[in-house]
Amino acid sequence: MSDEANVLAQSYIDHPEKVKKLYKRTLMIVVISQMFGGAGLAAGITVGALLAEQMLGTNAFAGLPAALFTLGSAGAALLVGRLSNRFGRRMGLATGFITGGLGAVGIIFAAMLNNVFLLFIFLLVYGAGSATNLQARYAGTDLATNKQRGTAVSVAMVSTTVGAVAGPNLVDVMGKVAHSIGVPELAGPFILAAAAYILAGLVLFALLRPDPFMIALKINANKQSTESKEVSRKNPINKGIAVGAIIMVLTQIVMTAIMTMTPIHMGHHGHSLRAIGLVIGFHIGAMYLPSLLTGILVDKIGRSAMAIASGVTLLLSGVLSAVAPGDSLVLMIIALSLLGLGWNFGLISGTALIVDSTEPSTRAKTQGTVDVFIALSGASGSAMSGMVVAGSSYETLSLVGGILSLILIPVMIWSIGSKKVMKNKEMREL
């Protein structure tokens, strides 16, 4: 940090009330950027598979677009994490969002040229927006206390709802806009995505000053100069990172696999593009809208309880998706809403565990690395989902996904048991 930056950081160390004000201001800026970011995220989820099916002429690879932009988000998560760790959240998040916006522009041109090769390339680039949308949830936690972390994550996520729910319900409108300017209708939502991601990046670049991560680094360095007990906590911290990562990876696999093939499944049962957009809108709303309540529950009743709730909710979603008649719009809305809610429980509880288990000096880099695994798991779930449905059925995919989510229960029982053993060991040493 420069001398000027050190002086600025010291002013926050000397005046804790300034830290509280910066924490609140950071949350407000993240909220604004996430409103735009959510709209950018929704385009790929809603029409990505349909666009690929149209261009490829088969649904066997309909899960490939989601796999590609999720794979792209894996690389972007690593890059955004590294940039944030070195230069702060402002630079990392702004770069990620703007890159995602440029990827959306590329997808529009690929659709206009009917060039599948270009489509696949720009889907990878577009994935940077998805990765950044997830990474932004960490920005609000940099200056949060232990009892505020779940809530801080939830504030960032719930703000995504505005754009994420509006996006799918603008599919028809954006399709007409695209058609009027000579762009294929299914590429229309990517026009919205391009504008939304770029705006999100510009908001963060212009307003996220001073950078909360850099201030948090300085505050932590000051604390460590008076404390010397961090080394003894190394093993439990690593275990917390592993458990948090498992929660988020597993929920991501189940959610993306079922979500990716739902538009295709509905299309085959005669649902209109508007109906598909409605279902995905409810799904994304359930992913983000309950976040404020989820964050409070994560902080109040604990990370482990909410992770178990995630597994149970995803199981209910998988079973309902499997048994619901394909032409029932109401049951599809309920099933996909449960899918989003289960993911929400898992992501917020897992994120809180990761923040609890990392030190500021390496936090952003570790968070980026964990998000790489989340993205790769999502890419795997998306890619395999199309093959499973082509080889078997959507019902089989949903049921397997629901059963897989139950793995969270033994993982959390093991985690709770490990904490008790560690606590007993520390008591004996005292």
Side-chain angles (χ1 to χ4, degrees), residues 67-80:
L68 285 171
F69 74 69
T70 308
L71 185 62
S73 74
L78 193 64
L79 175 63
V80 171

Side-chain angles (χ1 to χ4, degrees), residues 6-19:
N6 281 325
V7 170
L8 177 64
Q10 189 62 45
S11 71
Y12 283 91
I13 294 171
D14 296 336
H15 301 90
E17 68 277 5
K18 287 187 66 176
V19 176

Side-chain angles (χ1 to χ4, degrees), residues 59 62-63 256-265 385-386 389 394 397:
N59 69 352
T256 54
I258 297 175
M259 175 202 67
T260 297
M261 295 311 298
T262 296
I264 302 296
H265 174 68
S385 64
V389 171
Y394 174 81
L397 173 71

Side-chain angles (χ1 to χ4, degrees), residues 258 262 265-266 269 271 275-276 278-280 282-283 286 313-340 394-395 398:
I258 297 175
T262 296
H265 174 68
M266 293 182 66
H269 284 83
H271 291 283
I276 293 171
L278 182 65
V279 169
I280 297 300
F282 269 96
H283 166 67
T313 306
L314 290 173
L315 173 64
L316 292 174
S317 170
V319 171
L320 184 56
S321 297
V323 302
D327 58 357
S328 175
L329 181 62
V330 173
L331 289 180
M332 290 307 300
I333 287 174
I334 295 172
L336 268 291
S337 295
L338 286 172
L339 185 69
Y394 174 81
E395 290 76 13
S398 300

Side-chain angles (χ1 to χ4, degrees), residues 50-62:
L50 297 173
L51 181 61
E53 183 182 34
Q54 183 183 82
M55 293 176 70
L56 291 168
T58 176
N59 69 352
F61 301 100

Side-chain angles (χ1 to χ4, degrees), residues 253-376:
I253 289 174
V254 175
M255 188 275 290
T256 54
I258 297 175
M259 175 202 67
T260 297
M261 295 311 298
T262 296
I264 302 296
H265 174 68
M266 293 182 66
H268 289 170
H269 284 83
H271 291 283
S272 67
L273 197 59
R274 179 175 295 179
I276 293 171
L278 182 65
V279 169
I280 297 300
F282 269 96
H283 166 67
I284 296 176
M287 287 173 67
Y288 295 100
L289 193 56
S291 295
L292 283 178
L293 178 59
T294 304
I296 293 170
L297 291 173
V298 166
D299 285 336
K300 296 292 184 182
I301 69 174
R303 283 63 161 145
S304 299
M306 293 306 295
I308 292 172
S310 170
V312 173
T313 306
L314 290 173
L315 173 64
L316 292 174
S317 170
V319 171
L320 184 56
S321 297
V323 302
D327 58 357
S328 175
L329 181 62
V330 173
L331 289 180
M332 290 307 300
I333 287 174
I334 295 172
L336 268 291
S337 295
L338 286 172
L339 185 69
L341 185 62
W343 177 87
N344 177 273
F345 291 167
L347 189 77
I348 295 182
S349 58
T351 298
L353 272 170
I354 295 294
V355 178
D356 291 344
S357 305
T358 51
E359 295 302 322
S361 58
T362 57
R363 181 167 290 159
K365 184 167 65 174
T366 302
Q367 290 163 346
T369 303
V370 170
D371 277 6
V372 169
F373 289 105
I374 295 172
L376 289 175

